[in-house]
Structures are given as structure tokens and as C-alpha cells.
Amino acid sequence: MTVPPDDRVFRREMATAYRSGWHFIDLVTAIPHRGDSLMVTLLGEPIVVVREEDEDVRAYRCLRKPRGAPRPVRCAIRYGMIFVNLDQRDHQLVGPRTTIATPRSA
């Protein structure tokens, strides 16, 4: 894959990916066929990237508990590259936060 160095869209997407907690894993060609998988350790956590039967690429965090099932991790394919996001806040449903503040004059 070759990308011209002056491709502004590519540079903007790469900057967004690195800023937002997305991490590059490998090229999509590393898992070309259905059922192929790739095991990587990212920031000390084992991650399995799999090409599923429906041809989609998905990533899972491997749990260290004896009977724990792998938990899905956000995965994106951009320009033929696999990115995953391990940020826990990105995987949880977050409700509105209530902030309690006391004025300084009190």
C-alpha cells in the first residue's frame, strides 16, 4: 500500500486515531481468510484480532480468568490497517453526571 505524503485526509485520520486512544495493530492482509486470527499484546493486554465467518474483522480482549469469555474491543479498519481502542470509558454506557459545587463565598 502506498499513500502519497501530501494526502491531507490520511494525515487527518491518522492524527485523530492517535489522539483518541486508537492503536495500530497490523495490516488487514495479516488475516486474509475467514477464521484467521492474530494475537498481539497491546499495553500489557492480550488482544485477539479475528476475521469472522461474515468477513468482518473483530477484536477481543482476552481475560485472564480461567472461564472468562473474551470481551469485544472496538475495532476499525482504515486504509487497510487495523486499529483497536482499549479505552475502558469508550466501552461503557455512561449516564449524565451530576456535579455538586460549593460557591467560594459560602
Side-chain angles (χ1 to χ4, degrees):
M1 178 180 90
T2 59
V3 178
D6 61 342
D7 186 357
R8 291 181 184 166
V9 175
F10 177 75
R11 286 185 293 171
R12 185 172 49 242
E13 284 205 17
M14 290 294 100
T16 302
Y18 289 120
R19 252 194 328 255
S20 64
W22 289 91
H23 301 281
F24 170 72
I25 298 296
D26 205 338
L27 298 176
V28 176
T29 56
I31 47 176
H33 307 290
R34 287 187 230 165
D36 287 351
S37 64
L38 177 67
M39 179 88 162
V40 296
T41 302
L42 183 62
L43 303 173
E45 294 193 40
I47 304 292
V48 176
V49 182
V50 180
R51 184 172 295 270
E52 302 269 337
E53 291 299 321
D54 58 1
E55 293 291 329
D56 282 345
V57 175
R58 293 191 178 90
Y60 300 93
R61 176 181 279 132
C62 298
L63 300 179
R64 294 192 171 105
K65 298 176 185 175
R67 295 189 182 158
R71 292 187 302 180
V73 176
R74 287 191 59 200
C75 182
I77 307 294
R78 295 288 183 264
Y79 295 100
M81 296 180 279
I82 304 169
F83 291 90
V84 296
N85 191 337
L86 297 181
D87 190 0
Q88 290 292 327
R89 295 170 297 168
D90 205 24
H91 301 282
Q92 298 172 357
L93 296 176
V94 178
R97 294 183 181 175
T98 305
T99 305
I100 300 172
T102 305
R104 291 180 183 229
S105 61

